[in-house]
Amino acid sequence: MQLIKAKGLCKSFGDFIAVDNVDLEVSRGEVIGFLGPNGAGKSTTMKILTGFLEPDSGDILINNIDLKSDPLKAKEFIGYLPEGAPSYSDMNVLEFLTFVGKMRGLKSNLLRTRLGEMANQISLKEVWNKPIETLSKGFKRRVGIAQALIHDPDILILDEPTDGLDPNQKHEMRNLIKTISKNKAIVISTHILEEVEAVCSRAMIIANGKLLANETPANLEKQFANKDIITIKVFNKINDVLAKNLKSSLNYSNIKIEKLDKDTNRILVSDAKKAPDLNAVLKQVNKFKLNIIEAGFVKSSLEEIFRKITTTNASS
Amino acid sequence: MKIYLEKTYIIFDRELRGYFRTPLASIFLLVFLALSSGMTFFLGRFFERDQADLTAFFAWHPWLFLILMPAIGMRLWAEERRSGTIELLITLPVTNMQLVVGKFLASWIFTLIALILTMPIWVTVNYLGDPDNNVILISYIGSWLMAGAFLALTSCLSALTKNQVIAFIISSISGFVLIMAGFNLVLSSVRSWTPTWVTETIGSMSFLSHFSRIQMGVFDLRTLVFFVSMIILCIWINVQLVQIKKAD
Ligand SMILES: Nc1ncnc2c1ncn2[C@@H]1O[C@H](COP(=O)(O)OP(=O)(O)OP(=O)(O)O)[C@@H](O)[C@H]1O
Ligand SMILES: [Mg+2]
């Protein structure tokens, strides 16, 4: 079931178009990774989805409730971590989370349970009674996450949830997102691409306010595979003679054989002039009766894909 | 309806406690007490007047509030906008009206606390003589109403900026204009080139003329309506300003 359905979102600030006709659908169980260069419009889109900003045009259904016509009802389903994780610095963690919980309509029993769960799940126990202004950046961010989660919402919108966390905390945060994602629809924005690979079921790449890609990380990798280099992994020992024969039988200028471990090798085929033909190469390699484990084009890393997508768009 | 009021109350409660979370509240209350009694006893020649009433005490309130109410109200929206917490508030399932009213009420109740703490002055007067306590009670109510109008104005203007100091300054200046509107000097300079109804409207907008009637123990409906509608108008504008300025 789709918990977020947004169509044709546009938002300008003066002459500047920050969000340009963005569509977005998120189902229960999905984690969407929102990627894009600085100023791409990620935060602005998130502000629109949470009802903080009204879009110039476009419609948003939150759990099938129209955000524009019934904002109070729609907002109940959303937990939101704004960019920079703002909070009331003069309150302590308990006071702040209690305030948000009450505003979210949690009655005292449930509120107490949820506070306990937050303290454990997000490891806030040690700062529970400290004023938020005295907390480190990482703890402030975690308080922000707890605030977004306190009413156990169906929809979570987290603007850079792991920004400012140390590697351990980043890891914990990703695990947390993964565990809670089963029965929620989650949108996170991030600049860390490995995070998308680690937790997201879909990556949405946005630049200059436009949605440029909306794919699973695996599909993106396939789509942006590097068609110039073929890689073939074989479960065989390859001695010098075999290597020489392989090289002469393959009609390409650049053939490398890498030893991966005792019994497996990788053959990399590329050519300075033309893109190699995967079928032809496989046919040749098969003649040597090798055990092929894996064959295909070399994948680009998500980072390369990101750079490719966002820079080609910027120049066009 | 119950939930509507409940949410407003939670906002109110957080905001009012906020005043006491820092030493600011105690400092403010001390300053208020020191200034109000100091002005009464020294500047107001309380003892020389040889009259058991609180005229000297209340006469200073418009001028005192001109500085102190902006000091209480300046942070209400400016600070939310500066720290970004306005994003949290607005994405909660509440209306802007609930937020504005809750915050305003917190500052207004805080002033009520300040006024209640001046009770020793009232006790002193009763000890020294035999004042008309009805007049004093009416003056207290009028003073609190006037404070409410100042606060609503400040809260409204604090939504215009992210800077508390700027909020303070524009609120004080606006408050000054509203006090001065009743002075003959101002009125006569306007009278010469505008129709009478304009002059009368300006005159009737004056905090001072309304408050001075209250001080004499005259509590007419017009004054009540004036301050209450002033508060309602400012709250309404405040809601609009929050809507317009929230994302800037
Ligand atoms: N209230 C505003 N008024 C004017 N311009 C704005 C406003 N909010 C955002 N913008 C502009 O809109 C663009 C998109 O901003 P946004 O914050 O959505 O980017 P982002 O993708 O979140 O970037 P980052 O990765 O740096 O967080 C930016 O160029 C920003 O300057
Ligand atoms: Mg951003």
Side-chain angles (χ1 to χ4, degrees), chain A residues 199-210:
Chain A
V199 299
C200 297
S201 52
R202 195 141 51 89
M204 298 186 79
I205 300 182
I206 182 172
N208 301 325
K210 289 193 187 69

Side-chain angles (χ1 to χ4, degrees), chain A residues 52 75 80 88 90 103, chain B residues 7 21 80 87 90 246-247:
Chain A
F52 178 66
K75 284 173 184 176
Y80 175 40
Y88 292 110
D90 55 341
M103 288 302 288
Chain B
K7 298 267 167 80
R21 238 176 245 121
E80 297 288 346
E87 270 191 65
I90 291 192
K246 63 185 176 187

Side-chain angles (χ1 to χ4, degrees), chain A residues 47 50-54 72 75-76 80 82 86-88 90-91 95-96 99 102-105 107 147, chain B residues 6-7 10-11 14 18 21 75 80 83-95 243 246-247:
Chain A
K47 284 175 191 173
T50 52
F52 178 66
L53 280 179
E54 290 78 22
L72 294 194
K75 284 173 184 176
E76 284 177 11
Y80 175 40
S87 54
Y88 292 110
D90 55 341
M91 298 175 104
E95 287 168 337
F96 177 60
F99 164 71
K102 281 185 181 166
M103 288 302 288
R104 290 292 187 179
K107 296 284 167 277
Q147 161 282 125
Chain B
E6 232 173 76
K7 298 267 167 80
I10 300 164
I11 295 286
R14 195 204 77 78
R21 238 176 245 121
R75 67 164 201 174
E80 297 288 346
S83 67
T85 42
I86 190 167
E87 270 191 65
L88 294 180
L89 287 185
I90 291 192
T91 52
L92 288 171
V94 284
T95 61
Q243 178 64 19
K246 63 185 176 187

Side-chain angles (χ1 to χ4, degrees), chain A residues 13 16 18 36-45 47 83 160 191, chain B residues 247-248:
Chain A
F13 298 106
F16 179 79
N38 292 122
K42 303 181 292 295
S43 299
T44 308
T45 309
K47 284 175 191 173
E83 190 166 37
E160 303 192 18
H191 289 292
Chain B
D248 280 7

Side-chain angles (χ1 to χ4, degrees), chain A residues 113-125 128 172:
Chain A
T113 320
R114 285 302 292 163
L115 285 171
E117 283 170 7
M118 289 298 104
N120 286 326
Q121 240 179 356
I122 309 182
S123 323
L124 287 170
K125 272 204 196 106
W128 204 236
E172 272 174 42

Side-chain angles (χ1 to χ4, degrees), chain B residues 183-195:
Chain B
F183 275 99
N184 250 329
L185 190 67
V186 179
L187 285 182
S188 55
S189 72
V190 178
R191 193 171 289 134
S192 54
W193 51 274
T194 54

